[in-house]
Amino acid sequence: MQEPKQIFMSIVEKAATDADFRDGLLADPKATISREFDVTIPDGLRIVVHENDADTVHLPLPAKPQILEEGQLDQVSGGVCQC
């Protein structure tokens, strides 16, 4: 089984050379990826495909970092012992 990063690279490469695959990604990315790469995509996972053109560039941002509160920071840094 391919790793997610390998699958991503394969998707981008295939979309660059296969117009039908590219159209499928834009219309129904989950079904197209599942079918082409024989992977199961969880129901709760949303996949959105954007296509750049001469007038539009999409800039993906990473997920917002989870901000821990002071008490949570102490726990993950070893500041609390629940022995």
Side-chain angles (χ1 to χ4, degrees):
M1 176 183 255
Q2 292 185 35
E3 295 294 319
K5 187 174 182 177
Q6 292 170 320
I7 292 173
F8 175 78
M9 293 306 298
S10 296
I11 290 168
V12 172
E13 290 171 7
K14 186 168 181 70
T17 59
D18 184 332
D20 290 336
F21 178 73
R22 185 182 194 94
D23 291 342
L25 281 177
L26 291 166
D28 189 351
K30 284 177 77 168
T32 302
I33 293 167
S34 292
R35 182 177 54 252
E36 185 66 32
F37 295 94
D38 193 30
V39 295
T40 302
I41 299 172
D43 289 336
L45 181 65
R46 222 173 53 135
I47 298 176
V48 180
V49 176
H50 298 278
E51 184 175 37
N52 292 339
D53 60 30
D55 300 320
T56 307
V57 175
H58 297 274
L59 178 64
L61 299 176
K64 290 181 183 178
Q66 183 179 2
I67 306 298
L68 298 177
E69 295 182 16
E70 193 66 35
Q72 293 170 313
L73 272 174
D74 287 341
Q75 289 179 340
V76 296
S77 67
V80 173
C81 178
Q82 298 176 347
C83 304

